[in-house]
Amino acid sequence: MSLITGVCPHDCPDTCAWQVTTDPATGRALRIQGHPDHPLTQGRLCGKVSRYLERTYHPDRLTTPLKRIGPKGAGRFQPISWDQAIREITERLGEIVARFGPEAVMPFSYAGTMGVLQGEGMASRFFYRLGATRLARTICSEAGFEGFQYVTGRVMGPAPEDFAYARLILIWGNNTLTSNMHLWPFILQARKQGAGVIVIDPARTRTARAADEWIPIRPGTDGALALAMMHVIISENLVDHDFVRAHTTGFEALKARVREFTPAWAEPITGVPASRIERLARQYAAARPAAIRVNYGLQRHGSGGMAMRNIATLPALVGHWRYRGGGVLLSSSGAFHLDMRVLRRPDLLGDRQPRTLNMIRLGDALSLDRKRLARAHYAARPIDRKPAPEDAGPPVKALIIYNSNPAAVAPDQNAVRAGLAREDLLTIVLEHFQTDTADFADYLLPATTQLEHWDILKPYGHLYLALNRPAIQPLGQSLPNSEIFRRLARGMGFEEEAFNQDDVSMLRAFIEAQTHPTMAGITWERLLEQGFARLNLPDPFLPFAHGFPTDDGTCHIYSQPMAEDGYDPLPAWVPPRWMIEEQGEAKPSSSVLSFQSFILISPPAHNFLNTTFANLERFRRREGEPLVWVHPEDARARGIEDGDAVILENEQGRVQLTARVTEDIMPGVLLAPTIWWAKLSPGGRNVNVLVPQVETDMGGSPIFYDVRVRLERAPRTAARR
Ligand SMILES: Nc1nc2c(c(=O)[nH]1)N[C@H]1C(S)=C(S)[C@@H](COP(=O)(O)OP(=O)(O)OC[C@H]3O[C@@H](n4cnc5c(=O)[nH]c(N)nc54)[C@H](O)[C@@H]3O)O[C@H]1N2
Ligand SMILES: Nc1nc2c(c(=O)[nH]1)N[C@H]1C(S)=C(S)[C@@H](COP(=O)(O)OP(=O)(O)OC[C@H]3O[C@@H](n4cnc5c(=O)[nH]c(N)nc54)[C@H](O)[C@@H]3O)O[C@H]1N2
Ligand code: SF4
Ligand SMILES: [Mo]
């Protein structure tokens, strides 16, 4: 037997290292386990990836190139050879480029694999060389990332291991036990030392149940809670004045600003009692130190960027960045200073400037209406302007999709499907399985899984870079994304050396090209030998103890760049979209909302990873069926009982779900764990039919958890199961 070291490719902060046992006689992988020596993985994989072999060897895996035979969307295909597939695709791409220009070709990808190579490695080279439309990859994190970065200069925080040293932990909009489980052991260590663990979330998640306290908060109102905490910290003089003086800009202005943001002001907005806000602020300031775990859950709102910005300001006021385990962890990605140019080769674009379309408006991007196409252009900040319809550029005529399943994950599912159904659109999908998106492909190309290809993973939840070695041969005729793009490049007649470089050479050259001190000592040989390596950073890693990587080295409580980009330069209250719609204006009401309509949030289901795993019987069984959590008061008022089929509806569309009546969700809020495959859901649609194509305040991200819907019971006779 041999033991091969690799790393989980999924979009998850834990980026676990693994070991695969293979039988050299048969070439089969027999067993997968968490790497025992990896400080975060600690020998344990999650319940999904511990079944990765089952997914890889699943009978539904795509193993041969396929060509569409039925109508668009019907998902009927016939097998063809790779040579024929590449020839036909590149011929058609060539015609499209000749007639409409290279911008008529659009890539669409996200983080099905987070690998630097099978993600945007060879793919970028191909699209740069072609001069294709560029894609703004905004679907997950841009709003919060921007909001955080304005304050600190780079998005990083305490190492997850250092949460063990915190004396208070706020888990703020993160279901740690579901989406970041390898952080939990360190939280338990802190707890053993007496640290309290508080979860701030509209839902009593499994994490909230495991914590000391659950503070329910209305979706999208975290920015108001943070402002009221600042009010208490400043008015009760709980400030670390030395830290503030030495390392921040704008404190005096903040002092004036937050005078009005009292806990009593925040109570009706957030639903958190004023007395609890006061106590929270005092607990927070008194802890030496407190760690805040925020994640992307609280920035999927119209005001998500500003909310994150407000939270990111908190630790500087109380000086927690000084201490091991203190500060806010959103993402560790800013600790990595990786130069991607040698891998992605932006030089192949030359001085061409193709347009950038925002992936969250795929429905608009695929529309033949020029007004909608113009709206799909990426405009991240208030000062960015979308073009006039006549300047929107050519219609999208070819779409190349890899590492993503937009027909299930993107906002405005009906618009996405209408676009994908266009007969004149050439759609190429690289996939493991015949997803909702794959059903619309003209050519469906079989891709390898992480067991079958090389890669390097840069995590966003810790500091260990990792190498993935293939454990087995590619299944059937499947190929790595890198090789598929290499072949497409050759088919297009691209002759640059960049398209001849093999995978191992690409990765090795990438590692060897890194010059930043944090990469010192991380060599290709070391990765081959050990599988993973910690960034060359001191331990403990105190990212902002002695200053901030902003232009002037301070924490920007007042941010001049924000002013220039069209934002309020100070922490501010920006209501979520649902509240603005509900109230007609941004004024906080003193009474609880009428709840004529509900706020829908749809965070990750425990047993899926986005839509990955959601097609496999085992994980669907574990998850049950597409559910929506409804508070008992709301259910009673509508005659809904636990297990009833219910309809959620808004101007975007409608979807049928099964009600789970529970006090684990706040009144007025609905929670639908997701992302279910649309074709495996009632009516062939999932909750993303309800999500509009609307950008957040910063970064052009989607508003998945800021959706207004109506709720009613489905007619019982037909729908009750
Ligand atoms: N098992 C599993 N793990 C995953 C994923 C998955 O699909 N399944 N997805 C991966 C990906 S792509 C990502 S980006 C991360 C996502 O990671 P997170 O965004 O941290 O996702 P969750 O852990 O579900 O946490 C979201 C939590 O935020 C809460 N929430 C929603 N709106 C608000 C709000 O306005 N305020 C507050 N305070 N809380 C709010 C939800 O109820 C939920 O409990 O997880 C990754 N890990
Ligand atoms: N309602 C709602 N919608 C959401 C979210 C939510 O919380 N609620 N979360 C959003 C978030 S945070 C994210 S990140 C997005 C995620 O959206 P996506 O990144 O599209 O995630 P997945 O649905 O997991 O799709 C990834 C696909 O890539 C494929 N894949 C994996 N590895 C490879 C490979 O090596 N090669 C190829 N060719 N394919 C591969 C998988 O089979 C899978 O079908 O969804 C967003 N959509
Ligand atoms: S999905 Fe996350 S927790 Fe599961 S194995 Fe991968 S990195 Fe680890
Ligand atoms: Mo994500």
Side-chain angles (χ1 to χ4, degrees):
M1 299 299 139
S2 38
L3 204 59
I4 291 138
T5 299
V7 53
C8 176
H10 291 304
D11 189 350
C12 167
D14 295 359
T15 309
C16 293
W18 68 35
Q19 292 176 324
V20 181
T21 312
T22 61
D23 180 349
T26 60
R28 253 186 107 82
L30 304 176
R31 188 174 129 84
I32 189 167
Q33 63 180 60
H35 201 300
D37 304 334
H38 191 283
L40 278 298
T41 309
Q42 297 188 7
R44 283 189 311 271
L45 299 173
C46 65
K48 309 172 290 297
V49 173
S50 53
R51 300 278 173 184
Y52 200 74
L53 302 189
E54 202 172 298
R55 181 177 187 273
T56 294
Y57 288 121
H58 197 278
D60 294 349
R61 259 295 291 282
L62 301 171
T63 52
T64 161
L66 297 170
K67 180 178 178 175
R68 174 167 72 93
I69 46 178
K72 285 266 185 172
R76 294 217 312 276
F77 299 98
Q78 71 183 25
I80 55 171
S81 71
W82 271 113
D83 282 349
Q84 187 187 346
I86 299 291
R87 191 173 352 99
E88 291 186 12
I89 292 168
T90 51
E91 259 172 37
R92 289 190 60 185
L93 285 177
E95 286 161 16
I96 288 168
V97 170
R99 188 146 163 239
F100 298 93
E103 283 183 312
V105 180
M106 177 177 176
F108 191 96
S109 68
Y110 201 64
T113 168
M114 293 203 309
V116 298
L117 175 61
Q118 306 307 340
E120 307 308 328
M122 188 55 87
S124 285
R125 295 184 181 186
F126 177 81
F127 291 113
Y128 281 136
R129 171 64 180 78
L130 189 66
T133 283
R134 289 179 284 190
L135 185 70
R137 293 184 173 81
T138 54
I139 201 165
C140 177
S141 58
E142 290 307 296
F145 199 93
E146 289 300 319
F148 198 106
Q149 187 158 269
Y150 277 125
V151 179
T152 63
R154 274 185 96 79
V155 180
M156 47 194 182
E161 300 95 308
D162 286 344
F163 273 59
Y165 296 86
R167 306 312 305 261
L168 172 71
I169 295 172
L170 304 186
I171 301 181
W172 202 330
N174 168 236
N175 187 1
T176 313
L177 287 173
T178 285
S179 64
N180 183 196
M181 63 171 260
H182 293 85
L183 178 62
W184 194 252
F186 303 104
I187 293 176
L188 290 182
Q189 278 180 36
R191 213 177 193 184
K192 269 211 196 104
Q193 305 301 316
V197 180
I198 300 175
V199 170
I200 304 170
D201 197 301
R204 190 193 287 145
T205 57
R206 65 175 74 212
T207 309
R209 282 183 183 281
D212 298 308
E213 189 184 349
W214 171 42
I215 299 184
I217 186 163
R218 285 158 73 197
T221 66
D222 306 275
L225 176 59
L227 286 168
M229 287 173 71
M230 291 184 209
H231 173 95
V232 176
I233 288 167
I234 292 175
S235 66
E236 299 188 2
N237 198 18
L238 309 174
V239 174
D240 181 336
H241 288 288
D242 288 342
F243 192 88
V244 165
R245 212 172 303 119
H247 300 303
T248 71
T249 301
F251 178 72
E252 288 306 318
L254 180 72
K255 202 167 161 180
R257 166 62 64 91
V258 299
R259 211 161 281 145
E260 61 175 303
F261 296 129
T262 61
W265 164 83
E267 174 173 319
I269 296 174
T270 58
V272 184
S275 58
R276 187 64 195 96
I277 298 176
E278 268 165 32
R279 199 153 50 84
L280 183 66
R282 290 179 197 142
Q283 280 173 291
Y284 176 70
R288 279 288 172 278
I292 301 179
R293 176 58 169 143
V294 268
N295 208 344
Y296 292 107
L298 63 74
Q299 47 98 67
R300 307 197 199 289
H301 302 271
S303 53
M306 190 58 93
M308 193 65 78
R309 181 267 174 100
N310 293 355
I311 292 170
T313 306
L314 285 168
L317 296 179
V318 289
H320 288 176
W321 290 119
R322 294 172 186 274
Y323 312 106
R324 184 172 206 167
V328 189
L329 176 62
L330 169 63
S331 161
S332 62
S333 63
F336 292 79
H337 296 253
L338 294 177
D339 184 347
M340 306 306 279
R341 285 172 303 183
V342 64
L343 197 63
R344 297 186 180 163
R345 300 288 309 273
D347 56 294
L348 292 168
L349 186 58
D351 51 15
R352 294 171 293 174
Q353 288 284 341
R355 68 181 169 193
T356 301
L357 298 182
N358 190 343
M359 71 186 297
I360 75 146
R361 286 190 180 266
L362 181 61
D364 281 340
L366 296 182
S367 167
L368 294 172
D369 174 348
R370 303 183 62 82
K371 284 204 282 299
R372 288 183 58 197
L373 181 58
R375 278 209 301 264
H377 277 245
Y378 181 50
R381 303 164 301 177
I383 57 160
D384 297 324
R385 289 277 162 264
K386 296 194 177 188
E390 56 278 19
D391 301 324
V396 175
K397 299 293 284 183
L399 184 65
I400 304 181
I401 303 173
Y402 52 104
N403 304 338
S404 186
N405 184 8
V409 307
D412 201 351
Q413 196 163 94
N414 286 331
V416 171
R417 294 176 67 99
L420 290 172
R422 267 173 47 201
E423 278 297 334
D424 66 318
L425 178 72
L426 170 66
T427 301
I428 295 138
V429 177
L430 285 59
E431 252 302 348
H432 297 153
F433 289 98
Q434 192 175 329
T435 59
D436 291 316
T437 306
D439 280 348
F440 289 91
D442 294 284
Y443 295 90
L444 177 51
L445 306 178
T448 46
T449 71
Q450 193 79 340
L451 289 191
E452 301 149 78
H453 56 226
W454 287 91
D455 220 329
I456 284 176
L457 271 284
K458 167 194 146 176
Y460 63 94
H462 59 75
L463 303 173
Y464 291 81
L465 196 72
L467 175 72
N468 185 70
R469 284 175 189 258
I472 59 172
Q473 290 297 314
L475 253 67
Q477 298 182 48
S478 66
L479 291 175
N481 290 344
S482 51
E483 177 60 18
I484 299 175
F485 280 105
R486 218 176 263 121
R487 292 188 186 191
L488 287 172
R490 273 189 223 122
M492 294 300 289
F494 300 163
E495 284 169 356
E496 289 80 357
E497 238 344 89
F499 299 109
N500 286 326
Q501 204 178 8
D502 65 46
D503 287 359
V504 170
S505 310
M506 283 175 78
L507 290 176
R508 188 188 176 118
F510 168 64
I511 292 298
E512 284 170 357
Q514 303 305 320
T515 54
H516 195 271
T518 53
M519 286 292 286
I522 303 184
T523 60
W524 176 248
E525 287 70 27
R526 188 170 154 210
L527 287 173
L528 279 178
E529 198 175 308
Q530 298 172 359
F532 47 86
R534 187 177 185 272
L535 287 180
N536 179 33
L537 287 166
D539 189 15
F541 172 51
L542 304 175
F544 308 123
H546 308 292
F548 292 78
T550 51
D551 49 6
D552 60 0
T554 70
C555 174
H556 287 173
I557 298 173
Y558 175 96
S559 164
Q560 189 55 35
M562 285 187 80
E564 283 159 17
D565 288 345
Y567 297 108
D568 192 326
L570 280 171
W573 169 233
V574 182
R577 182 174 178 271
W578 67 261
M579 193 177 278
I580 294 171
E581 283 181 0
E582 190 112 10
Q583 299 179 338
E585 56 176 329
K587 213 168 54 197
S589 74
S590 54
S591 63
V592 180
L593 294 181
S594 60
F595 294 138
Q596 285 305 311
S597 60
F598 289 82
I599 313 155
L600 171 67
I601 63 178
S602 52
H606 189 72
N607 297 291
F608 305 154
L609 208 137
N610 300 322
T611 66
T612 308
F613 299 102
N615 56 322
L616 307 182
E617 186 50 36
R618 173 186 301 278
F619 302 100
R620 281 218 308 281
R621 218 171 33 234
R622 285 187 194 165
E623 205 55 43
E625 56 192 322
L627 292 176
V628 58
W629 299 13
V630 187
H631 190 274
E633 278 170 29
D634 296 325
R636 208 170 309 122
R638 284 161 185 77
I640 293 168
E641 286 171 29
D642 192 67
D644 276 349
V646 293
I647 304 291
L648 272 61
E649 190 180 39
N650 62 15
E651 47 299 334
Q652 305 287 314
R654 70 187 341 234
V655 71
Q656 183 185 313
L657 300 164
T658 300
R660 185 181 144 203
V661 178
T662 170
E663 292 188 339
D664 291 342
I665 188 71
M666 295 179 83
V669 183
L670 303 174
L671 182 152
T674 205
I675 306 171
W676 291 82
W677 281 28
K679 63 179 162 184
L680 300 176
S681 303
R685 297 291 186 278
N686 71 21
V687 288
N688 282 331
V689 294
L690 302 169
V691 178
Q693 300 180 65
V694 168
E695 290 94 343
T696 47
D697 55 343
M698 297 180 197
S701 286
I703 57 161
F704 288 121
Y705 307 167
D706 191 359
V707 176
R708 291 176 81 214
V709 296
R710 289 180 296 280
L711 168 73
E712 61 188 57
R713 204 183 66 209
R716 234 171 219 160
T717 42
R720 181 124 199 181
R721 306 195 185 182

